[in-house]
Amino acid sequence: MIKSVSKIKIVLPVIIAIAVFVCRLQMLLQSSEPAGLDGYFYALQAKSFALNGRLENPDYKIGYYLCGIFAFLFRNPVLGCKIYASLISSLLVYSILIALKKLKVNYGFSLMGAALCAASFSVSSMCINFINNLTGITFFIFYVSSVFAFKEKKEKSVCNLLFPALLFILCFLSHLVSAAFAFVFTVLVVLGKLSLKKQVALVVFALIAGFLLFSRQLPRFKSVFSLGPVLPVFSPFMVKAIGYRICLELSLAVLSGWICFLATAAVFWKKRFFNCLIFMIPVLVFPFWNLNVLDMGYRMLLSAVPCIIVIMIFVLDKMIASPRKTLAGVLLSIVLACVGFTTKSVYDVNRDPPYAYYKKIVQNIELPDDSLLIAHLGLNHVYTYEKNLRDALNYVPDFPVPVEKLWRLAYGVNPIAIENQLYDETAETIEECLVKVDSSYVLIREDLWQKFIEREEDIYVENYRNWYNPHTVRPAFIRKKINGRK
């Protein structure tokens, strides 16, 4: 009987993890194209790594390399990215179970925490648009588990630190959000072992180190903070952009985090006990993100949800002393796991860019392999993916490119209007350097486009300077080195 129960305890989490993998993969396979706004960027990064052993756009984020490995294994970058996203999503669910077990949480409640993650719409949405965030938060949860496992060891050695150290590095190699979480968590763990004076000194050191580590991202911080709306559900922009279900879930996660923080603080006060790790909660549910844009605040809250699940289940386990909570937890886990299959609806294929249309647009565009095409976001990634990994940029380049090598896909401009302003160009030049692709797009050499913009009436130029016609230089803080250029 005991052996049967033990086997069930091992099998149930595996079943949930497999179910999550199947559910996520079914969700992503609703479209034959890459999923999400950055779908083709992940795909072309994976394709480049699988074919050439390097990323098309050099980056440190390990998620791109893992997608590339799966692209190589399955001989299909699009499918490889989807399989990897589904796998890492299932591993995140399993990591929550491991973390709760290391925290000595009741088995039923630990299983319930994993099932709650499986049933989360916000977590499910991460494998659509934010594979690197998903990778990072999975490594972070495993890192937390490894730290608690290390603390339990009676004999501590350098060898025992190797696994936590590896996971810590992987957090930093995954995404800025997981790096920040791992950094703060590590500082708080070390603080708890020191005297008050040393704690103060370490806090000062951590602030300086944190500033140095994340200073490269400081330009982004100018617009990411705000005094309101505090909760996503109160942001009309957020509700419209990501849907009410995810907004409600994120808001409940924030509220749950603060309730856990206050409840834990009250217990500490009553028992005259203190643990620095309590300050991890305000970091996770920071209330002053700008939630009127889909930027850092949104990603931080998405990444915080799995962590909040761990904290919430841990607090509930300590508050509830019923002998039947194991059975209750297992039954609730089964219900939540079934509910998890409804998370497939979080992926609305119609909200993806029209990738099939973009593929038709780029099909007949033939430029030299060393050329650079300016095209709006989404279309530029499709072009690079479909056309032998040729460079495309959704910004005006601020590095020198030979005139004959720099081209543009202009949107919403009548070729006749362009020809009228290029009156001093020869018919041969017009024929070679101005090509109507379809009713919406025109392929034109960039120097001719700029000449057209300079000569056209201002009232029309303002209409052309839009998202579909890139006209700004790429911000320096997000620019990457490409083929030795910046």
mmCIF file of all heavy atoms in Angstrom, residues 19 31 36 71 73 85 158 166 360 400 426:
data_model
loop_
_atom_site.group_PDB
_atom_site.id
_atom_site.type_symbol
_atom_site.label_atom_id
_atom_site.label_comp_id
_atom_site.label_asym_id
_atom_site.label_seq_id
_atom_site.Cartn_x
_atom_site.Cartn_y
_atom_site.Cartn_z
ATOM 1 N N ALA A 19 0.910 16.612 -19.487
ATOM 2 C CA ALA A 19 -0.340 17.237 -19.932
ATOM 3 C C ALA A 19 -0.108 18.693 -20.317
ATOM 4 O O ALA A 19 -0.669 19.181 -21.317
ATOM 5 C CB ALA A 19 -1.393 17.141 -18.828
ATOM 6 N N SER A 31 -1.472 27.427 -35.345
ATOM 7 C CA SER A 31 -0.985 28.141 -36.524
ATOM 8 C C SER A 31 0.239 27.419 -37.067
ATOM 9 O O SER A 31 1.079 26.938 -36.308
ATOM 10 C CB SER A 31 -0.615 29.585 -36.162
ATOM 11 O OG SER A 31 0.069 30.215 -37.227
ATOM 12 N N GLY A 36 3.038 34.520 -31.994
ATOM 13 C CA GLY A 36 3.349 35.750 -31.282
ATOM 14 C C GLY A 36 4.001 36.816 -32.132
ATOM 15 O O GLY A 36 4.396 36.603 -33.287
ATOM 16 N N ALA A 71 15.524 23.305 -33.155
ATOM 17 C CA ALA A 71 15.365 23.495 -34.600
ATOM 18 C C ALA A 71 16.231 22.498 -35.360
ATOM 19 O O ALA A 71 15.808 21.939 -36.384
ATOM 20 C CB ALA A 71 15.744 24.927 -34.980
ATOM 21 N N LEU A 73 17.312 19.540 -34.155
ATOM 22 C CA LEU A 73 16.834 18.183 -33.903
ATOM 23 C C LEU A 73 15.621 17.836 -34.756
ATOM 24 O O LEU A 73 15.495 16.709 -35.256
ATOM 25 C CB LEU A 73 16.485 18.010 -32.413
ATOM 26 C CG LEU A 73 17.662 18.035 -31.432
ATOM 27 C CD1 LEU A 73 17.157 17.985 -30.004
ATOM 28 C CD2 LEU A 73 18.611 16.875 -31.698
ATOM 29 N N ALA A 85 9.309 25.750 -26.425
ATOM 30 C CA ALA A 85 8.453 26.586 -25.575
ATOM 31 C C ALA A 85 7.511 25.719 -24.748
ATOM 32 O O ALA A 85 7.275 25.989 -23.559
ATOM 33 C CB ALA A 85 7.662 27.570 -26.433
ATOM 34 N N VAL A 158 32.310 23.121 -1.543
ATOM 35 C CA VAL A 158 32.314 23.876 -2.798
ATOM 36 C C VAL A 158 31.605 23.082 -3.889
ATOM 37 O O VAL A 158 30.878 23.641 -4.720
ATOM 38 C CB VAL A 158 33.758 24.200 -3.226
ATOM 39 C CG1 VAL A 158 33.767 24.870 -4.591
ATOM 40 C CG2 VAL A 158 34.434 25.082 -2.192
ATOM 41 N N LEU A 166 25.564 27.119 -11.152
ATOM 42 C CA LEU A 166 25.221 26.946 -12.562
ATOM 43 C C LEU A 166 23.838 27.527 -12.860
ATOM 44 O O LEU A 166 23.647 28.242 -13.860
ATOM 45 C CB LEU A 166 25.257 25.462 -12.928
ATOM 46 C CG LEU A 166 24.788 25.101 -14.347
ATOM 47 C CD1 LEU A 166 25.684 25.753 -15.393
ATOM 48 C CD2 LEU A 166 24.751 23.591 -14.534
ATOM 49 N N LYS A 360 4.374 36.038 -48.694
ATOM 50 C CA LYS A 360 4.091 36.299 -50.101
ATOM 51 C C LYS A 360 4.757 37.593 -50.563
ATOM 52 O O LYS A 360 5.243 37.681 -51.696
ATOM 53 C CB LYS A 360 2.577 36.399 -50.306
ATOM 54 C CG LYS A 360 1.839 35.080 -50.136
ATOM 55 C CD LYS A 360 0.348 35.257 -50.383
ATOM 56 C CE LYS A 360 -0.393 33.935 -50.200
ATOM 57 N NZ LYS A 360 -1.862 34.105 -50.407
ATOM 58 N N PRO A 400 27.375 52.991 -41.952
ATOM 59 C CA PRO A 400 27.467 53.157 -43.411
ATOM 60 C C PRO A 400 27.079 51.893 -44.172
ATOM 61 O O PRO A 400 27.509 50.791 -43.834
ATOM 62 C CB PRO A 400 28.947 53.504 -43.629
ATOM 63 C CG PRO A 400 29.661 52.935 -42.434
ATOM 64 C CD PRO A 400 28.706 53.072 -41.290
ATOM 65 N N THR A 426 16.856 58.836 -64.262
ATOM 66 C CA THR A 426 16.635 58.237 -65.578
ATOM 67 C C THR A 426 15.561 57.157 -65.493
ATOM 68 O O THR A 426 15.302 56.574 -64.422
ATOM 69 C CB THR A 426 17.932 57.611 -66.109
ATOM 70 O OG1 THR A 426 18.309 56.515 -65.261
ATOM 71 C CG2 THR A 426 19.050 58.638 -66.158
#
